Amino acid sequence: MTTALQQYGLLTQWQLRRQSVLLPLLVVVQGALAVGTVLGFGILMGDIEGQAALYLATGAPTITLIVIGLVMAPQMLAQAKTEGSAQWMMTLPVPRLVFLAADLTVWTLVALPGTVLAVFVGVLRYDVSLDVSWWVLPAALLVSLAAAAIGYTVAALLPPSLAMLFTQLVVFVILLFSPVSVPADQFPSWLASLHEVLPIAPMAELVRAGLAGSTFAVETGPLLVLIAWCAGCVALAGAALRRRG
């Protein structure tokens, strides 16, 4: 166990240092995405208040968390597979799950600054009051971990070109066809029902309830759906990495 923890710590440091030039740019892009999401939806929807404003103010940090895991993480892994650096990493005498844990840690850390910025900008833009629960940080970590695990699994299982196409489709779905910044009942019933078994809606519900606990609550069903997606994708990604070894 001690050796595995040491390997995890060293690999996390190695990944952070290896991408030390790119990571600040990713954080800046995440910040721009957070601000753009808050202000952009505000322009499209006009002056709003009440629960609609809370949806937008809490939806922006959720989008930031999801995009870093579902879009940027698979893009970076697909690029590493194309360059051959991912295959080289697999030759190191380190358990595959330690590789996975180190990568998921890095992407979770990258997602957090933009998420915090989105919360502040949302509060200022829509003049809403949040009721932040004590468990919002572990909830955000769970959402970020689940998104990164799903994205990592896609990049590990699919060829790089298909993984890139997946990320572009995901951005489209998250922004326009997911109940993140608007209630699920505004979508067609079949799409709302589909989101009950997909991970995006539970991610949004968890973050929304953590930031505005007096208005929103998270139910057991969506939480179990999110945990199942996270656990399943971590297992799939680990299996894919072991197979590559």
Side-chain angles (χ1 to χ4, degrees):
M1 177 63 76
T2 303
T3 301
L5 290 175
Q6 290 174 341
Q7 291 173 333
Y8 163 75
L10 291 172
L11 266 179
T12 303
Q13 292 180 42
W14 190 86
Q15 290 284 42
L16 289 171
R17 291 177 179 177
R18 186 172 73 92
Q19 302 183 47
S20 59
V21 176
L22 186 60
L23 285 180
L25 179 60
L26 289 176
V27 173
V28 171
V29 170
Q30 281 303 103
L33 175 65
V35 174
T37 302
V38 173
L39 300 183
F41 275 108
I43 293 172
L44 291 175
M45 300 180 70
D47 293 330
I48 57 174
E49 57 185 11
Q51 195 173 83
L54 271 178
Y55 262 93
L56 287 185
T58 58
T62 307
I63 290 174
T64 306
L65 281 174
I66 295 174
V67 166
I68 196 75
L70 281 179
V71 177
M72 292 191 177
Q75 285 182 350
M76 296 300 292
L77 181 57
Q79 182 180 353
K81 289 169 66 176
T82 302
E83 295 171 347
S85 58
Q87 290 83 345
W88 177 83
M89 289 286 292
M90 294 302 105
T91 64
L92 298 178
V94 177
R96 300 298 187 254
L97 285 179
V98 175
F99 279 110
L100 178 62
D103 274 357
L104 294 183
T105 300
V106 170
W107 292 117
T108 299
L109 291 175
V110 170
L112 291 181
T115 304
V116 175
L117 178 62
V119 173
F120 279 107
V121 175
V123 169
L124 292 175
R125 168 62 179 84
Y126 299 108
D127 192 23
V128 296
S129 298
L130 300 181
D131 181 14
V132 180
S133 302
W134 63 268
W135 46 264
V136 68
L137 180 58
L141 292 175
L142 174 61
V143 170
S144 181
L145 175 63
I150 295 168
Y152 205 95
T153 300
V154 170
L157 295 176
L158 296 181
S161 57
L162 290 181
M164 291 290 192
L165 288 176
F166 168 81
T167 62
Q168 296 176 26
L169 178 63
V170 164
V171 172
F172 185 66
V173 172
I174 291 174
L175 292 178
L176 298 180
F177 298 103
S178 297
V180 176
S181 297
V182 294
D185 57 15
Q186 293 191 12
F187 291 95
S189 58
W190 65 268
L191 184 55
S193 299
L194 180 61
H195 274 296
E196 291 178 359
V197 296
L198 294 178
I200 296 176
M203 291 175 179
E205 289 186 23
L206 189 59
V207 175
R208 191 180 302 125
L211 291 174
S214 59
T215 306
F216 303 104
V218 60
E219 298 179 358
T220 304
L223 181 60
L224 292 178
V225 169
L226 179 59
I227 292 174
W229 271 92
C230 182
C233 286
V234 168
L236 279 175
L241 292 176
R242 283 193 292 270
R243 186 185 63 186
R244 292 176 62 84

